[in-house]
Amino acid sequence: EKALQLLNQMAVKHVLSSDHACSDVISLSTAMSACQKASQWEKALQLFSTMTQLELERNTIAFNTAMSACEKGGMWEDALHLLSVMELSGVQSQVVTFCAAVGACVTVDRSDKVLQLLDVMEQSKVEVDTIIFSAAICSCEKSNGWARLLHLLCPMEYANWKNLSSQPGALIQSSK
């Protein structure tokens, strides 16, 4: 709440404008982060929209903070939309970016989207970290996506696991 009050004071004093673009992105991102941490994801996303209205160039930090706000609010579709906008805007994504998007999907049990994000990460040459793998494991466990999960964890081709998934006995034999 205090962060929003300070931001409003800056706006009143005309500190927020396209003339102060760098400081405005930092100020708005900081306020977004404060809102996100206070579970006020709607306000965080409003501040993100303000960047567009002020014609400010949104950076990786701003996108990551907005996606983290979506994660807090269980707004997985918005998180994935922001990821698309980020890519179209030419803003570099990072592991943190995907962590927020994956987290938003895990929150609402969308393991299909989690697995798609892992594929996107691989295509984008973004290294999957332990946190994202753990989230994927939890997500697949909840949705009985064990065959796909095994594909993620093992270097074997997916086709081999697909064949084994129809024969649980063969899977047990292959692990001996």
Side-chain angles (χ1 to χ4, degrees):
E1 206 55 45
K2 185 72 172 168
L4 292 175
Q5 289 172 354
L6 290 171
L7 200 61
N8 286 334
Q9 288 175 2
M10 289 174 70
V12 168
K13 293 179 181 179
H14 303 289
V15 175
L16 288 178
S17 69
S18 57
D19 296 337
H20 301 94
C22 182
S23 63
D24 289 350
V25 171
I26 294 168
S27 299
L28 287 166
S29 294
T30 303
M32 285 170 51
S33 180
C35 291
Q36 179 261 330
K37 288 175 183 168
S39 297
Q40 295 186 17
W41 58 270
E42 299 99 337
K43 289 182 181 178
L45 294 178
Q46 287 172 352
L47 291 170
F48 186 76
S49 294
T50 300
M51 289 182 182
T52 304
Q53 294 165 1
L54 292 173
E55 297 179 359
L56 299 174
E57 191 172 324
R58 298 168 297 186
N59 59 20
T60 304
I61 295 169
F63 274 100
N64 289 350
T65 305
M67 280 191 268
S68 291
C70 291
E71 178 183 5
K72 281 266 187 175
M75 306 300 293
W76 66 273
E77 291 170 314
D78 291 337
L80 296 182
H81 175 72
L82 286 170
L83 186 62
S84 297
V85 170
M86 187 176 186
E87 184 180 327
L88 292 172
S89 302
V91 177
Q92 184 68 38
S93 58
Q94 303 171 335
V95 173
V96 174
T97 308
F98 284 97
C99 195
V102 165
C105 294
V106 168
T107 301
V108 293
D109 294 329
R110 290 302 309 253
S111 63
D112 58 325
K113 298 299 179 186
V114 170
L115 297 173
Q116 286 176 5
L117 285 168
L118 290 174
D119 289 338
V120 171
M121 287 181 75
E122 185 178 337
Q123 293 166 7
S124 303
K125 307 284 191 251
V126 175
E127 192 172 322
V128 178
D129 70 356
T130 306
I131 294 170
I132 293 176
F133 259 128
S134 296
I137 289 168
C138 289
S139 180
C140 288
E141 180 183 31
K142 288 179 185 178
S143 68
N144 287 329
W146 63 271
R148 179 71 169 116
L149 177 62
L150 290 174
H151 167 66
L152 292 172
L153 298 175
C154 298
M156 293 181 74
E157 292 180 18
Y158 181 58
N160 292 339
W161 286 110
K162 212 172 174 183
N163 293 337
L164 290 173
S165 69
S166 62
Q167 304 168 11
L171 181 59
I172 292 167
Q173 288 293 355
S174 69
S175 66
K176 290 183 179 180

